[in-house]
Amino acid sequence: MDKKEMKDQIFEVMLQTAVKENFEKELHELPTAKELTDDYELSESTRKEIEKWIKTANHKSTRLRMQKAAKRAAVIAAIIIPVSMVSLLSVEASRNLIFNAVMNWASDHVAIQYQDGQASSSEISSPDDSEIRPHYLPEGFVKTETTQTDSSFTIQYRNDQGELILFRKSPISKQGPFAVDTEHTTHKEIEIQGEKASLFIANEPDGMSYLVWKNHSYSFQLSSEISPEQLVKMAESVTK
């Protein structure tokens, strides 16, 4: 190493040492955090500017929280409202499907009259509704006659022994009162397809039994000398 290179290195070391010492000196001369807090106060304009930025930050944070809460509420509403509407409609539908008949009892018969307003005009029978009939028949019975009027639809079923089953369907909106024999029957409340029904069981082996029930549009009647159990089975099979 020649003399010039040595001088350059010595100068470099001295410069680095001087810079370091000067930096440490200036650092030690800076006031402490406590001294800054105690001795220095922010100007009013600076303080307001800082408060404004703090408020802005808080508002943004609050707005984000509210947006998230609103989104959650919207999702919950989107789930609850349709479910609630369906539940309300179900309650109304259930109310309309209740077996609501006025039964005026006499000594030898009962007159059954369905209350008004149980079927709307949109529930009046349509051509397709003529297919609503029993799909189960006791063994040996076949359809022998069908009668259609403005207020009722009647089917007769017979077997080889001449026994008769009558099935009658009537729109509730056009249904008048009808009488059922009670002098020779015993009345029993049952359910047909989940709806209340009245079963009048013959007291004698060859007597007529009657089954009466309704849905939201029609009243139905089955009458025959066959067993009440068979009438119930036929009623449970009544669909399109």
Side-chain angles (χ1 to χ4, degrees):
M1 176 184 299
D2 58 19
K3 186 178 293 185
K4 183 176 183 305
E5 290 178 349
M6 184 178 293
K7 287 181 179 180
D8 289 341
Q9 287 186 1
I10 292 173
F11 177 78
E12 184 70 23
V13 171
M14 292 177 65
L15 180 61
Q16 291 178 0
T17 302
V19 169
K20 181 179 178 181
E21 289 177 353
N22 186 67
F23 173 77
E24 291 177 352
K25 179 179 178 183
E26 290 185 0
L27 186 63
H28 286 303
E29 290 178 354
L30 289 175
T32 64
K34 185 176 183 307
E35 290 174 338
L36 286 172
T37 303
D38 294 340
D39 299 338
Y40 297 93
E41 292 186 2
L42 297 174
S43 66
E44 185 66 17
S45 60
T46 303
R47 185 179 61 79
K48 289 182 178 180
E49 189 70 18
I50 292 173
E51 289 178 353
K52 183 181 75 173
W53 284 107
I54 292 173
K55 287 181 180 179
T56 300
N58 288 338
H59 287 164
K60 287 182 179 179
S61 176
T62 302
R63 187 167 62 252
L64 288 173
R65 288 197 300 271
M66 291 179 66
Q67 288 175 348
K68 290 180 179 179
K71 288 179 181 178
R72 286 196 298 270
V75 171
I76 293 171
I79 296 172
I80 291 177
I81 290 175
V83 171
S84 300
M85 291 299 291
V86 170
S87 299
L88 290 173
L89 290 173
S90 298
V91 170
E92 180 64 17
S94 298
R95 184 186 68 79
N96 289 335
L97 289 173
I98 291 174
F99 185 86
N100 192 10
V102 176
M103 305 178 72
N104 296 315
W105 293 86
S107 59
D108 60 349
H109 73 279
V110 58
I112 301 175
Q113 172 70 61
Y114 291 102
Q115 290 184 352
D116 294 336
Q118 291 304 298
S120 67
S121 59
S122 63
E123 294 168 339
I124 295 174
S125 62
S126 64
D128 291 339
D129 288 344
S130 63
E131 297 301 318
I132 298 178
R133 63 186 66 196
H135 289 272
Y136 166 79
L137 292 178
E139 186 177 358
F141 279 87
V142 294
K143 181 172 66 174
T144 58
E145 185 179 338
T146 300
T147 304
Q148 176 83 56
T149 66
D150 184 52
S151 61
S152 67
F153 175 80
T154 305
I155 304 177
Q156 294 184 19
Y157 303 94
R158 292 184 182 273
N159 62 10
D160 293 338
Q161 287 73 44
E163 292 178 309
L164 172 68
I165 302 173
L166 284 176
F167 168 72
R168 184 182 182 189
K169 177 190 69 180
S170 302
I172 296 176
S173 59
K174 299 181 180 181
Q175 175 71 63
F178 58 92
V180 176
D181 175 33
T182 57
E183 186 178 9
H184 303 97
T185 61
T186 300
H187 177 244
K188 183 180 180 181
E189 292 290 336
I190 63 170
E191 284 193 358
I192 298 297
Q193 297 181 8
E195 303 301 330
K196 291 182 180 179
S198 289
L199 176 63
F200 298 87
I201 303 172
N203 294 331
E204 301 295 332
D206 296 331
M208 294 284 287
S209 294
Y210 304 88
L211 179 55
V212 182
W213 77 103
K214 68 179 279 291
N215 62 15
H216 61 285
S217 300
Y218 297 98
S219 67
F220 303 98
Q221 302 168 52
L222 275 170
S223 56
S224 180
E225 296 177 357
I226 66 172
S227 70
E229 292 78 14
Q230 289 293 310
L231 288 181
V232 171
K233 195 169 181 179
M234 285 183 68
E236 289 287 1
S237 73
V238 171
T239 58
K240 276 191 180 182

